Amino acid sequence: MNEPFFAGHFEGYPIMPGVLVVEAMAQAGGVLLMSAIPDPQTSFYSSLASKRRASASQSFPATNWRIEVDVKAWRMNAGRMEGKAFVGTKRVAEALISCVVVPRKPAAEAG
């Protein structure tokens, strides 16, 4: 509740910013995809784009969330996921997330 994004989003009316809800879905999707990669320490996950659907309702700080992510398409190293966020049984947001899993560069090449 004391995070600056709550206080600054709508003054006097703290809500969870939609972009952070979509970020949570993308991170949950990353965990899902990286758990299926044979050697995840040699790759990293990056979300490329998201298309947020209208939120069914607002959500507030100190709310318990449930995030569900389904892989809709996966080809080689790129895919699309559908994320849904719930507070209780009420769906509060949805997003389509495009992503890639790419090889990490060795430290010597990263410069």
Side-chain angles (χ1 to χ4, degrees):
M1 180 94 174
N2 61 350
E3 295 294 332
F5 55 81
F6 288 129
H9 200 60
F10 292 112
E11 192 172 332
Y13 189 73
I15 65 167
M16 183 65 144
V19 68
L20 294 180
V21 177
V22 173
E23 174 67 21
M25 290 184 231
Q27 288 185 24
V31 170
L32 174 68
L33 289 178
M34 293 307 285
S35 69
I37 302 293
D39 189 8
Q41 295 182 351
T42 63
S43 302
F44 72 93
Y45 161 87
S46 178
S47 59
L48 300 172
S50 65
K51 182 177 182 181
R52 183 175 163 222
R53 298 185 187 145
S55 179
S57 68
Q58 295 173 346
S59 56
F60 303 96
T63 302
N64 290 321
W65 289 71
R66 183 178 84 247
I67 301 212
E68 297 178 1
V69 179
D70 292 316
V71 177
K72 294 298 185 183
W74 184 254
R75 290 182 183 80
M76 299 293 282
N77 65 345
R80 188 174 60 249
M81 300 176 288
E82 179 179 44
K84 296 178 184 174
F86 296 86
V87 173
T89 59
K90 189 175 195 177
R91 185 179 64 217
V92 295
E94 290 182 51
L96 291 174
I97 301 160
S98 299
C99 61
V100 295
V101 174
V102 296
R104 289 185 188 268
K105 288 184 179 182
E109 295 178 30

